[in-house]
Amino acid sequence: GAVVSQHPSRVICKSGTSVKIECRSLDFQATTMFWYRQFPKQSLMLMATSNEGSKATYEQGVEKDKFLINHASLTLSTLTVTSAHPEDSSFYICSARNRGHNEKLFFGSGTQLSVL
Amino acid sequence: DAKTTQPNSMESNEEEPVHLPCNHSTISGTDYIHWYRQLPSQGPEYVIHGLTSNVNNRMASLAIAEDRKSSTLILHRATLRDAAVYYCILSESPWDAGGTSYGKLTFGQGTILTVHP
């Protein structure tokens, strides 16, 4: 089946630094990728939607200057958390839609970000 | 976005069938019904989806009410590996008339399924 690779799986950083998370579709072309955030014992919260070659669409309340999303190719999207602070500590998950399987989303394994 | 309502938790015994309900009374005609599940510290995993007719795959079955205002995910023989949070989600068809993909999935709280040996 289709595979979405996300890394790193875990990252610890100091407050004020930036962290980049990569999301790759390994065996399919991802026309659309979604980024989610999940706090402990809560559900996934959609942060933004990105289509290849165009600017990401952010959900209400998500700061676009803080969470930079780049979807430069059909197989790669990146999320950069700029000037991270402890409140940004969370589980970040990407997902991708396969061009050939329109209704189904494939998810990465997530990145646990801890900001000290 | 149309919302779904699921029980917070359910329990089952191993090798017994499990019926996970979902209410979506405000569903529109173009909304697909999706089910995903999530194990601890992992990304969600696709289970099944449907529009109007009941659906079967190797993981589960999806029974959709005739009025589409509710649906039930059926795990025919629960195993310990089926213990997870199950999410019932509605989404629009991913393609609009202009060819731009959308169809985002908005997750609710889901049902925590516990499977007892």
Side-chain angles (χ1 to χ4, degrees):
Chain A
V3 176
V4 173
S5 174
Q6 183 177 344
H7 72 92
S9 58
R10 181 178 294 275
V11 59
I12 301 172
C13 70
K14 293 182 179 180
S15 184
T17 61
S18 295
V19 174
K20 180 184 284 189
I21 302 170
E22 288 191 353
C23 180
R24 294 181 183 271
S25 56
L26 296 186
D27 52 0
F28 66 95
Q29 292 184 329
T31 51
T32 302
M33 288 187 172
F34 302 90
W35 287 93
Y36 292 83
R37 179 167 57 179
Q38 185 175 32
F39 293 106
K41 299 192 182 302
Q42 294 188 22
S43 185
L44 285 78
M45 184 192 80
L46 180 65
M47 300 175 68
T49 302
S50 71
N51 290 309
E52 183 264 338
S54 61
K55 289 183 179 180
T57 301
Y58 290 80
E59 295 297 304
Q60 191 173 8
V62 178
E63 300 175 56
K64 62 179 66 177
D65 294 331
K66 181 168 186 61
F67 300 100
L68 302 179
I69 292 172
N70 184 282
H71 192 166
S73 77
L74 283 172
T75 59
L76 174 64
S77 176
T78 60
L79 167 68
T80 301
V81 183
T82 62
S83 187
H85 291 286
E87 56 267 29
D88 298 323
S89 298
S90 186
F91 192 54
Y92 292 87
I93 308 168
C94 71
S95 67
R97 171 165 284 121
N98 186 342
R99 184 184 284 240
H101 297 81
N102 295 338
E103 287 78 36
K104 188 187 299 186
L105 284 188
F106 300 93
F107 285 81
S109 55
T111 298
Q112 182 62 52
L113 171 64
S114 299
V115 184
L116 304 179
Chain B
D1 296 333
K3 292 186 177 179
T4 62
T5 304
Q6 299 177 252
N8 289 333
S9 62
M10 291 187 66
E11 297 186 16
S12 173
N13 294 318
E14 201 173 9
E15 297 191 2
E16 289 184 356
V18 181
H19 290 232
L20 298 168
C22 181
N23 288 320
H24 29 79
S25 58
T26 58
I27 190 171
S28 73
T30 57
D31 284 337
Y32 284 80
I33 302 162
H34 296 253
W35 284 84
Y36 285 77
R37 69 182 185 182
Q38 185 181 25
L39 278 65
S41 300
Q42 294 187 28
E45 173 188 28
Y46 169 82
V47 177
I48 201 166
H49 79 280
L51 184 61
T52 55
S53 303
N54 294 343
V55 183
N56 298 297
N57 66 22
R58 63 175 181 82
M59 289 182 68
S61 295
L62 176 60
I64 301 174
E66 196 168 331
D67 62 5
R68 300 210 325 127
K69 294 185 176 183
S70 66
S71 62
T72 302
L73 177 70
I74 302 167
L75 306 179
H76 296 286
R77 289 185 64 189
T79 69
L80 297 178
R81 287 174 294 181
D82 291 323
V85 180
Y86 285 79
Y87 295 99
C88 169
I89 310 162
L90 302 182
S91 80
E92 300 172 20
S93 174
W95 306 105
D96 66 9
T100 302
S101 174
Y102 58 102
K104 61 186 179 183
L105 297 184
T106 301
F107 284 73
Q109 290 305 307
T111 296
I112 301 171
L113 175 64
T114 301
V115 180
H116 299 290

Short mmCIF file of all heavy atoms in Angstrom, two decimals, chain A residues 14-69:
data_model
loop_
_atom_site.label_atom_id
_atom_site.label_comp_id
_atom_site.label_asym_id
_atom_site.label_seq_id
_atom_site.Cartn_x
_atom_site.Cartn_y
_atom_site.Cartn_z
N LYS A 14 15.90 23.59 21.71
CA LYS A 14 15.86 24.68 22.67
C LYS A 14 14.86 25.74 22.22
O LYS A 14 14.63 25.93 21.01
CB LYS A 14 17.25 25.31 22.82
CG LYS A 14 18.28 24.39 23.46
CD LYS A 14 19.61 25.11 23.60
CE LYS A 14 20.65 24.21 24.27
NZ LYS A 14 21.96 24.91 24.42
N SER A 15 14.32 26.44 23.16
CA SER A 15 13.37 27.50 22.86
C SER A 15 14.04 28.56 21.99
O SER A 15 15.21 28.93 22.21
CB SER A 15 12.90 28.13 24.17
OG SER A 15 11.91 29.10 23.93
N GLY A 16 13.35 28.99 20.96
CA GLY A 16 13.88 30.01 20.05
C GLY A 16 14.48 29.46 18.78
O GLY A 16 14.73 30.22 17.84
N THR A 17 14.70 28.18 18.72
CA THR A 17 15.26 27.58 17.51
C THR A 17 14.14 27.16 16.57
O THR A 17 12.97 27.11 16.95
CB THR A 17 16.14 26.37 17.83
OG1 THR A 17 15.33 25.37 18.49
CG2 THR A 17 17.29 26.77 18.75
N SER A 18 14.51 26.85 15.33
CA SER A 18 13.54 26.39 14.34
C SER A 18 13.73 24.91 14.06
O SER A 18 14.85 24.40 14.09
CB SER A 18 13.69 27.19 13.05
OG SER A 18 13.37 28.54 13.26
N VAL A 19 12.65 24.26 13.78
CA VAL A 19 12.68 22.82 13.53
C VAL A 19 11.95 22.52 12.23
O VAL A 19 10.85 23.02 12.01
CB VAL A 19 11.99 22.05 14.68
CG1 VAL A 19 11.88 20.57 14.37
CG2 VAL A 19 12.74 22.27 15.99
N LYS A 20 12.56 21.69 11.39
CA LYS A 20 11.93 21.31 10.13
C LYS A 20 11.52 19.85 10.19
O LYS A 20 12.30 18.97 10.57
CB LYS A 20 12.88 21.53 8.95
CG LYS A 20 12.26 21.13 7.60
CD LYS A 20 13.24 21.27 6.45
CE LYS A 20 13.44 22.71 6.07
NZ LYS A 20 14.23 22.85 4.82
N ILE A 21 10.30 19.59 9.77
CA ILE A 21 9.76 18.23 9.71
C ILE A 21 9.46 17.91 8.25
O ILE A 21 8.83 18.71 7.55
CB ILE A 21 8.48 18.09 10.55
CG1 ILE A 21 8.76 18.47 12.01
CG2 ILE A 21 7.93 16.67 10.47
CD1 ILE A 21 7.51 18.61 12.85
N GLU A 22 9.91 16.75 7.80
CA GLU A 22 9.71 16.36 6.41
C GLU A 22 8.64 15.28 6.29
O GLU A 22 8.54 14.38 7.13
CB GLU A 22 11.01 15.84 5.80
CG GLU A 22 12.05 16.90 5.54
CD GLU A 22 13.19 16.36 4.70
OE1 GLU A 22 13.23 15.14 4.44
OE2 GLU A 22 14.05 17.16 4.31
N CYS A 23 7.90 15.36 5.22
CA CYS A 23 6.86 14.38 4.94
C CYS A 23 6.99 13.97 3.47
O CYS A 23 6.88 14.82 2.58
CB CYS A 23 5.49 14.99 5.20
SG CYS A 23 4.10 13.88 4.90
N ARG A 24 7.25 12.71 3.23
CA ARG A 24 7.45 12.22 1.87
C ARG A 24 6.47 11.11 1.52
O ARG A 24 6.23 10.20 2.33
CB ARG A 24 8.87 11.66 1.70
CG ARG A 24 9.97 12.68 1.82
CD ARG A 24 11.34 12.03 1.60
NE ARG A 24 12.41 13.02 1.79
CZ ARG A 24 12.89 13.78 0.82
NH1 ARG A 24 12.40 13.66 -0.40
NH2 ARG A 24 13.85 14.65 1.07
N SER A 25 5.91 11.19 0.34
CA SER A 25 5.13 10.06 -0.18
C SER A 25 6.11 9.20 -0.98
O SER A 25 6.70 9.66 -1.94
CB SER A 25 3.98 10.57 -1.05
OG SER A 25 4.45 11.38 -2.10
N LEU A 26 6.28 7.96 -0.55
CA LEU A 26 7.36 7.14 -1.10
C LEU A 26 7.02 6.48 -2.43
O LEU A 26 7.89 6.27 -3.25
CB LEU A 26 7.76 6.07 -0.08
CG LEU A 26 8.35 6.58 1.23
CD1 LEU A 26 8.84 5.43 2.08
CD2 LEU A 26 9.47 7.59 0.97
N ASP A 27 5.78 6.13 -2.64
CA ASP A 27 5.46 5.37 -3.85
C ASP A 27 4.24 5.91 -4.57
O ASP A 27 3.61 5.19 -5.35
CB ASP A 27 5.26 3.89 -3.50
CG ASP A 27 4.27 3.70 -2.35
OD1 ASP A 27 3.75 4.72 -1.85
OD2 ASP A 27 4.01 2.56 -1.98
N PHE A 28 3.94 7.18 -4.35
CA PHE A 28 2.83 7.77 -5.09
C PHE A 28 3.02 9.28 -5.13
O PHE A 28 3.80 9.84 -4.36
CB PHE A 28 1.47 7.41 -4.46
CG PHE A 28 1.24 7.99 -3.09
CD1 PHE A 28 0.54 9.18 -2.93
CD2 PHE A 28 1.70 7.33 -1.96
CE1 PHE A 28 0.32 9.71 -1.67
CE2 PHE A 28 1.49 7.85 -0.70
CZ PHE A 28 0.79 9.05 -0.54
N GLN A 29 2.29 9.92 -6.01
CA GLN A 29 2.33 11.37 -6.11
C GLN A 29 1.21 11.96 -5.25
O GLN A 29 0.04 11.61 -5.42
CB GLN A 29 2.16 11.81 -7.57
CG GLN A 29 3.34 11.43 -8.44
CD GLN A 29 3.19 11.96 -9.86
OE1 GLN A 29 2.09 12.09 -10.37
NE2 GLN A 29 4.30 12.27 -10.49
N ALA A 30 1.62 12.82 -4.36
CA ALA A 30 0.67 13.42 -3.42
C ALA A 30 0.27 14.80 -3.90
O ALA A 30 1.04 15.75 -3.80
CB ALA A 30 1.28 13.50 -2.03
N THR A 31 -0.92 14.90 -4.45
CA THR A 31 -1.39 16.19 -4.93
C THR A 31 -1.68 17.14 -3.79
O THR A 31 -1.53 18.35 -3.90
CB THR A 31 -2.66 16.01 -5.76
OG1 THR A 31 -3.60 15.24 -5.00
CG2 THR A 31 -2.35 15.27 -7.05
N THR A 32 -2.11 16.60 -2.68
CA THR A 32 -2.44 17.41 -1.51
C THR A 32 -1.85 16.78 -0.26
O THR A 32 -1.89 15.56 -0.10
CB THR A 32 -3.97 17.51 -1.33
OG1 THR A 32 -4.54 18.07 -2.51
CG2 THR A 32 -4.32 18.41 -0.14
N MET A 33 -1.29 17.62 0.58
CA MET A 33 -0.80 17.16 1.87
C MET A 33 -1.43 18.01 2.97
O MET A 33 -1.70 19.20 2.78
CB MET A 33 0.71 17.22 1.95
CG MET A 33 1.40 16.15 1.11
SD MET A 33 3.18 16.13 1.38
CE MET A 33 3.65 14.66 0.47
N PHE A 34 -1.68 17.36 4.09
CA PHE A 34 -2.28 18.03 5.24
C PHE A 34 -1.34 17.89 6.44
O PHE A 34 -0.70 16.86 6.62
CB PHE A 34 -3.62 17.39 5.59
CG PHE A 34 -4.64 17.40 4.47
CD1 PHE A 34 -4.71 16.34 3.59
CD2 PHE A 34 -5.52 18.45 4.32
CE1 PHE A 34 -5.65 16.32 2.56
CE2 PHE A 34 -6.46 18.45 3.29
CZ PHE A 34 -6.52 17.39 2.41
N TRP A 35 -1.31 18.93 7.25
CA TRP A 35 -0.53 18.89 8.48
C TRP A 35 -1.47 19.02 9.67
O TRP A 35 -2.32 19.91 9.71
CB TRP A 35 0.52 20.00 8.50
CG TRP A 35 1.66 19.73 7.57
CD1 TRP A 35 1.81 20.14 6.28
CD2 TRP A 35 2.83 18.94 7.87
NE1 TRP A 35 2.98 19.67 5.76
CE2 TRP A 35 3.64 18.94 6.71
CE3 TRP A 35 3.27 18.26 9.01
CZ2 TRP A 35 4.86 18.27 6.65
CZ3 TRP A 35 4.48 17.61 8.95
CH2 TRP A 35 5.26 17.61 7.79
N TYR A 36 -1.27 18.11 10.63
CA TYR A 36 -2.08 18.09 11.84
C TYR A 36 -1.18 18.24 13.06
O TYR A 36 0.01 17.93 13.02
CB TYR A 36 -2.84 16.76 11.97
CG TYR A 36 -3.92 16.52 10.95
CD1 TYR A 36 -3.62 16.01 9.69
CD2 TYR A 36 -5.25 16.78 11.24
CE1 TYR A 36 -4.62 15.76 8.76
CE2 TYR A 36 -6.26 16.54 10.32
CZ TYR A 36 -5.93 16.03 9.08
OH TYR A 36 -6.93 15.79 8.15
N ARG A 37 -1.80 18.65 14.16
CA ARG A 37 -1.11 18.71 15.44
C ARG A 37 -1.99 18.01 16.45
O ARG A 37 -3.23 18.11 16.39
CB ARG A 37 -0.88 20.17 15.84
CG ARG A 37 -0.17 20.35 17.17
CD ARG A 37 0.30 21.78 17.35
NE ARG A 37 -0.77 22.76 17.25
CZ ARG A 37 -0.59 24.06 17.39
NH1 ARG A 37 0.63 24.53 17.63
NH2 ARG A 37 -1.60 24.89 17.31
N GLN A 38 -1.37 17.30 17.37
CA GLN A 38 -2.14 16.55 18.37
C GLN A 38 -1.49 16.69 19.73
O GLN A 38 -0.33 16.32 19.91
CB GLN A 38 -2.23 15.08 17.98
CG GLN A 38 -3.12 14.24 18.88
CD GLN A 38 -3.27 12.81 18.38
OE1 GLN A 38 -2.36 12.25 17.77
NE2 GLN A 38 -4.43 12.21 18.62
N PHE A 39 -2.25 17.21 20.68
CA PHE A 39 -1.78 17.30 22.06
C PHE A 39 -2.20 16.04 22.81
O PHE A 39 -3.12 15.32 22.37
CB PHE A 39 -2.34 18.55 22.73
CG PHE A 39 -1.80 19.82 22.15
CD1 PHE A 39 -2.58 20.63 21.34
CD2 PHE A 39 -0.50 20.22 22.42
CE1 PHE A 39 -2.07 21.80 20.79
CE2 PHE A 39 0.02 21.39 21.87
CZ PHE A 39 -0.77 22.17 21.05
N PRO A 40 -1.52 15.73 23.93
CA PRO A 40 -1.79 14.48 24.65
C PRO A 40 -3.27 14.30 24.97
O PRO A 40 -3.94 15.23 25.42
CB PRO A 40 -0.95 14.62 25.91
CG PRO A 40 0.17 15.51 25.51
CD PRO A 40 -0.42 16.49 24.54
N LYS A 41 -3.77 13.12 24.68
CA LYS A 41 -5.15 12.71 24.97
C LYS A 41 -6.19 13.57 24.25
O LYS A 41 -7.35 13.62 24.66
CB LYS A 41 -5.41 12.71 26.47
CG LYS A 41 -4.52 11.74 27.24
CD LYS A 41 -5.00 11.54 28.65
CE LYS A 41 -4.07 10.61 29.42
NZ LYS A 41 -3.93 9.29 28.79
N GLN A 42 -5.77 14.23 23.18
CA GLN A 42 -6.72 14.99 22.38
C GLN A 42 -6.72 14.46 20.95
O GLN A 42 -5.89 13.64 20.57
CB GLN A 42 -6.35 16.48 22.39
CG GLN A 42 -6.48 17.14 23.75
CD GLN A 42 -6.29 18.64 23.66
OE1 GLN A 42 -6.45 19.26 22.61
NE2 GLN A 42 -5.96 19.25 24.80
N SER A 43 -7.68 14.96 20.20
CA SER A 43 -7.79 14.52 18.81
C SER A 43 -6.84 15.31 17.93
O SER A 43 -6.17 16.24 18.39
CB SER A 43 -9.23 14.71 18.33
OG SER A 43 -9.38 14.19 17.03
N LEU A 44 -6.77 14.92 16.68
CA LEU A 44 -5.92 15.64 15.74
C LEU A 44 -6.58 16.96 15.35
O LEU A 44 -7.78 17.02 15.10
CB LEU A 44 -5.72 14.82 14.46
CG LEU A 44 -4.77 13.63 14.52
CD1 LEU A 44 -5.42 12.45 15.20
CD2 LEU A 44 -4.31 13.26 13.12
N MET A 45 -5.78 18.00 15.26
CA MET A 45 -6.27 19.30 14.84
C MET A 45 -5.59 19.66 13.52
O MET A 45 -4.36 19.71 13.45
CB MET A 45 -5.96 20.36 15.88
CG MET A 45 -6.53 21.73 15.55
SD MET A 45 -5.89 23.04 16.59
CE MET A 45 -4.30 23.35 15.83
N LEU A 46 -6.39 19.92 12.50
CA LEU A 46 -5.84 20.28 11.21
C LEU A 46 -5.21 21.66 11.29
O LEU A 46 -5.84 22.62 11.75
CB LEU A 46 -6.93 20.25 10.14
CG LEU A 46 -6.50 20.61 8.73
CD1 LEU A 46 -5.52 19.58 8.18
CD2 LEU A 46 -7.73 20.72 7.81
N MET A 47 -3.97 21.76 10.82
CA MET A 47 -3.28 23.04 10.82
C MET A 47 -3.37 23.71 9.46
O MET A 47 -3.64 24.91 9.36
CB MET A 47 -1.80 22.85 11.18
CG MET A 47 -1.55 22.24 12.54
SD MET A 47 0.19 21.93 12.81
CE MET A 47 0.84 23.59 12.89
N ALA A 48 -3.09 22.94 8.41
CA ALA A 48 -3.02 23.55 7.08
C ALA A 48 -3.13 22.50 6.00
O ALA A 48 -2.87 21.31 6.22
CB ALA A 48 -1.72 24.32 6.92
N THR A 49 -3.51 22.98 4.83
CA THR A 49 -3.62 22.15 3.63
C THR A 49 -2.68 22.72 2.59
O THR A 49 -2.67 23.94 2.37
CB THR A 49 -5.06 22.19 3.08
OG1 THR A 49 -5.96 21.73 4.08
CG2 THR A 49 -5.19 21.33 1.83
N SER A 50 -1.90 21.87 1.96
CA SER A 50 -1.02 22.38 0.91
C SER A 50 -1.18 21.56 -0.36
O SER A 50 -1.25 20.33 -0.32
CB SER A 50 0.44 22.35 1.36
OG SER A 50 0.94 21.04 1.44
N ASN A 51 -1.27 22.26 -1.47
CA ASN A 51 -1.29 21.65 -2.78
C ASN A 51 0.04 21.95 -3.45
O ASN A 51 0.56 23.05 -3.34
CB ASN A 51 -2.43 22.20 -3.63
CG ASN A 51 -3.78 21.75 -3.13
OD1 ASN A 51 -4.00 20.57 -2.91
ND2 ASN A 51 -4.68 22.68 -2.93
N GLU A 52 0.56 20.98 -4.15
CA GLU A 52 1.87 21.11 -4.77
C GLU A 52 1.95 22.35 -5.64
O GLU A 52 1.07 22.57 -6.49
CB GLU A 52 2.18 19.84 -5.58
CG GLU A 52 3.56 19.84 -6.21
CD GLU A 52 3.54 20.31 -7.64
OE1 GLU A 52 2.49 20.26 -8.28
OE2 GLU A 52 4.60 20.75 -8.13
N GLY A 53 2.98 23.14 -5.42
CA GLY A 53 3.22 24.32 -6.24
C GLY A 53 2.43 25.56 -5.86
O GLY A 53 2.56 26.59 -6.53
N SER A 54 1.64 25.49 -4.82
CA SER A 54 0.88 26.67 -4.42
C SER A 54 1.02 26.90 -2.92
O SER A 54 1.52 26.04 -2.20
CB SER A 54 -0.59 26.53 -4.81
OG SER A 54 -1.16 25.42 -4.15
N LYS A 55 0.58 28.06 -2.49
CA LYS A 55 0.70 28.39 -1.07
C LYS A 55 -0.25 27.54 -0.23
O LYS A 55 -1.35 27.18 -0.67
CB LYS A 55 0.39 29.87 -0.85
CG LYS A 55 1.47 30.81 -1.37
CD LYS A 55 1.12 32.25 -1.02
CE LYS A 55 2.21 33.20 -1.51
NZ LYS A 55 1.89 34.62 -1.18
N ALA A 56 0.16 27.29 0.98
CA ALA A 56 -0.67 26.49 1.88
C ALA A 56 -1.87 27.31 2.36
O ALA A 56 -1.81 28.54 2.45
CB ALA A 56 0.16 26.02 3.07
N THR A 57 -2.94 26.60 2.66
CA THR A 57 -4.13 27.22 3.24
C THR A 57 -4.16 26.84 4.71
O THR A 57 -4.24 25.66 5.05
CB THR A 57 -5.41 26.72 2.55
OG1 THR A 57 -5.33 27.03 1.16
CG2 THR A 57 -6.63 27.38 3.16
N TYR A 58 -4.12 27.86 5.57
CA TYR A 58 -4.04 27.60 7.00
C TYR A 58 -5.43 27.65 7.63
O TYR A 58 -6.28 28.44 7.23
CB TYR A 58 -3.13 28.64 7.67
CG TYR A 58 -1.67 28.46 7.32
CD1 TYR A 58 -1.15 28.94 6.11
CD2 TYR A 58 -0.81 27.82 8.19
CE1 TYR A 58 0.19 28.76 5.79
CE2 TYR A 58 0.54 27.64 7.88
CZ TYR A 58 1.02 28.11 6.67
OH TYR A 58 2.34 27.92 6.36
N GLU A 59 -5.62 26.83 8.64
CA GLU A 59 -6.87 26.85 9.40
C GLU A 59 -6.88 28.08 10.31
O GLU A 59 -5.83 28.65 10.65
CB GLU A 59 -7.01 25.58 10.22
CG GLU A 59 -7.15 24.33 9.36
CD GLU A 59 -8.39 24.34 8.50
OE1 GLU A 59 -9.51 24.48 9.05
OE2 GLU A 59 -8.26 24.22 7.26
N GLN A 60 -8.07 28.46 10.68
CA GLN A 60 -8.21 29.64 11.53
C GLN A 60 -7.46 29.44 12.84
O GLN A 60 -7.55 28.37 13.47
CB GLN A 60 -9.70 29.88 11.81
CG GLN A 60 -10.00 31.20 12.46
CD GLN A 60 -11.50 31.47 12.54
OE1 GLN A 60 -12.31 30.59 12.25
NE2 GLN A 60 -11.87 32.66 12.94
N GLY A 61 -6.71 30.46 13.22
CA GLY A 61 -5.97 30.41 14.47
C GLY A 61 -4.57 29.86 14.35
O GLY A 61 -3.82 29.87 15.34
N VAL A 62 -4.19 29.37 13.19
CA VAL A 62 -2.84 28.85 13.00
C VAL A 62 -1.99 29.94 12.35
O VAL A 62 -2.34 30.47 11.29
CB VAL A 62 -2.86 27.59 12.10
CG1 VAL A 62 -1.44 27.09 11.86
CG2 VAL A 62 -3.71 26.51 12.72
N GLU A 63 -0.87 30.26 12.98
CA GLU A 63 -0.03 31.36 12.50
C GLU A 63 0.82 30.90 11.32
O GLU A 63 1.72 30.07 11.48
CB GLU A 63 0.89 31.83 13.62
CG GLU A 63 0.18 32.34 14.85
CD GLU A 63 1.17 32.67 15.96
OE1 GLU A 63 2.08 33.48 15.71
OE2 GLU A 63 1.04 32.10 17.06
N LYS A 64 0.58 31.45 10.16
CA LYS A 64 1.32 31.05 8.96
C LYS A 64 2.79 31.44 9.02
O LYS A 64 3.63 30.80 8.41
CB LYS A 64 0.66 31.62 7.72
CG LYS A 64 0.61 33.12 7.65
CD LYS A 64 -0.06 33.58 6.36
CE LYS A 64 -1.52 33.20 6.31
NZ LYS A 64 -2.19 33.70 5.09
N ASP A 65 3.12 32.49 9.75
CA ASP A 65 4.53 32.91 9.84
C ASP A 65 5.30 32.05 10.83
O ASP A 65 6.53 32.05 10.82
CB ASP A 65 4.62 34.37 10.25
CG ASP A 65 4.07 35.29 9.18
OD1 ASP A 65 4.14 34.93 7.99
OD2 ASP A 65 3.54 36.36 9.54
N LYS A 66 4.57 31.36 11.68
CA LYS A 66 5.24 30.51 12.65
C LYS A 66 5.38 29.08 12.12
O LYS A 66 6.37 28.41 12.36
CB LYS A 66 4.46 30.49 13.96
CG LYS A 66 5.12 29.63 15.04
CD LYS A 66 4.50 29.87 16.37
CE LYS A 66 5.28 29.12 17.44
NZ LYS A 66 6.68 29.59 17.53
N PHE A 67 4.39 28.62 11.43
CA PHE A 67 4.38 27.27 10.87
C PHE A 67 4.48 27.38 9.35
O PHE A 67 3.47 27.50 8.66
CB PHE A 67 3.13 26.52 11.29
CG PHE A 67 2.99 26.37 12.78
CD1 PHE A 67 2.15 27.22 13.50
CD2 PHE A 67 3.69 25.39 13.46
CE1 PHE A 67 2.02 27.09 14.89
CE2 PHE A 67 3.57 25.25 14.84
CZ PHE A 67 2.74 26.10 15.55
N LEU A 68 5.72 27.32 8.86
CA LEU A 68 5.96 27.49 7.43
C LEU A 68 5.84 26.15 6.72
O LEU A 68 6.48 25.17 7.09
CB LEU A 68 7.37 28.06 7.20
CG LEU A 68 7.66 29.41 7.87
CD1 LEU A 68 9.09 29.84 7.57
CD2 LEU A 68 6.67 30.47 7.42
N ILE A 69 5.01 26.12 5.70
CA ILE A 69 4.78 24.88 4.95
C ILE A 69 5.23 25.09 3.52
O ILE A 69 4.86 26.05 2.87
CB ILE A 69 3.31 24.48 5.01
CG1 ILE A 69 2.94 24.05 6.44
CG2 ILE A 69 3.02 23.33 4.03
CD1 ILE A 69 1.48 23.81 6.64
#
